[in-house]
Amino acid sequence: MNFNKFNTVKTIYWELDTMVKCPRCGYENNDISVYCENCTYPIKNPQTANSNNKKDNGWNISTGKKIAIVLGIVVIALLLFSFIYNSTQHDNKSSLNVISADEKVQEGSNYPYQAHIIYNGTWSGKVGDPNYIREVSGRGDESYNLDCAPWDKVTMVIEKSDGSSNELKIELLKNGNVVAENSTTSSTGSVVINYNY
């Protein structure tokens, strides 16, 4: 067997690749060699040699640190969302009824809406926030302070109870100014106002 041909081919192959000198004997080895081909001295750490020359892109952070970073970002985002949400909500304390010990509804002084019913006869209906509607009835002209905050929807539905052809007129006032009104002269008529601030 002719070993010279093999050594010539091996030398040509090595010349194509980068060569690494052995720190012990000075023999030039192929850069992919883990051990010196002359003296078997370790040229590279076998664990790093198997990593196929992975590039360090600066993001070699352990999985635990990555999870901690992601959780930190999520917590900060939730806190920020909570702050923004709470700062944009209306103060709903002023739109709640206060019930006294004798079970009477006490209306607060900060409610801006009033319902005026103007009719020379008997009537009945519903007024207030559609979610907390209040039933009313009476004879003749009446006014009601509505348990609605400035941002609430307001509904008024009043109908005649006596079958008269007199005019039934309703007005919705906000801070003393008429913001909506409606009327009817029909004997079985009802009048409706739906007001969105």
Side-chain angles (χ1 to χ4, degrees):
M1 194 173 203
N2 189 350
F3 289 104
N4 288 336
K5 287 183 182 179
F6 175 74
N7 285 336
T8 305
V9 171
K10 187 175 177 183
T11 304
I12 292 171
Y13 172 75
W14 279 351
E15 288 175 0
L16 294 176
D17 289 330
T18 308
M19 305 302 284
V20 177
K21 277 191 175 186
C22 174
R24 179 193 268 167
C25 69
Y27 185 79
E28 290 196 12
N29 294 281
N30 190 348
D31 69 340
I32 61 171
S33 298
V34 177
Y35 298 99
C36 177
E37 294 178 16
N38 186 38
C39 68
T40 67
Y41 185 80
I43 296 174
K44 294 181 182 176
N45 184 351
Q47 293 173 349
T48 59
N50 292 335
S51 68
N52 295 326
N53 296 329
K54 289 184 181 176
K55 292 184 180 179
D56 181 15
N57 61 6
W59 286 96
N60 287 337
I61 301 174
S62 69
T63 304
K65 287 182 181 178
K66 288 179 184 176
I67 291 172
I69 290 171
V70 169
L71 287 176
I73 291 171
V74 168
V75 167
I76 290 170
L78 287 174
L79 288 173
L80 184 62
F81 173 76
S82 175
F83 174 75
I84 292 170
Y85 178 78
N86 288 333
S87 65
T88 60
Q89 294 302 307
H90 297 291
D91 179 16
N92 289 331
K93 291 178 185 175
S94 61
S95 68
L96 299 176
N97 289 336
V98 177
I99 311 259
S100 63
D102 59 355
E103 296 184 0
K104 290 186 179 178
V105 176
Q106 296 177 349
E107 297 178 11
S109 62
N110 59 345
Y111 299 117
Y113 293 108
Q114 276 191 326
H116 286 184
I117 296 103
I118 304 163
Y119 182 58
N120 190 15
T122 57
W123 50 267
S124 64
K126 299 176 181 181
V127 295
D129 180 340
N131 296 319
Y132 306 101
I133 203 82
R134 173 177 159 186
E135 292 191 22
V136 294
S137 61
R139 179 172 183 81
D141 298 349
E142 291 281 340
S143 292
Y144 293 94
N145 289 326
L146 301 182
D147 186 19
C148 299
W151 54 85
D152 288 337
K153 285 183 173 181
V154 179
T155 297
M156 295 176 64
V157 180
I158 305 296
E159 57 187 41
K160 295 179 180 180
S161 300
D162 59 4
S164 168
S165 61
N166 293 338
E167 181 183 31
L168 167 64
K169 182 177 181 180
I170 61 174
E171 297 176 333
L172 178 64
L173 284 77
K174 182 176 183 182
N175 297 321
N177 299 318
V178 176
V179 292
E181 61 184 350
N182 202 352
S183 65
T184 185
T185 55
S186 171
S187 60
T188 58
S190 66
V191 187
V192 177
I193 291 177
N194 288 310
Y195 181 75
N196 292 321
Y197 63 95

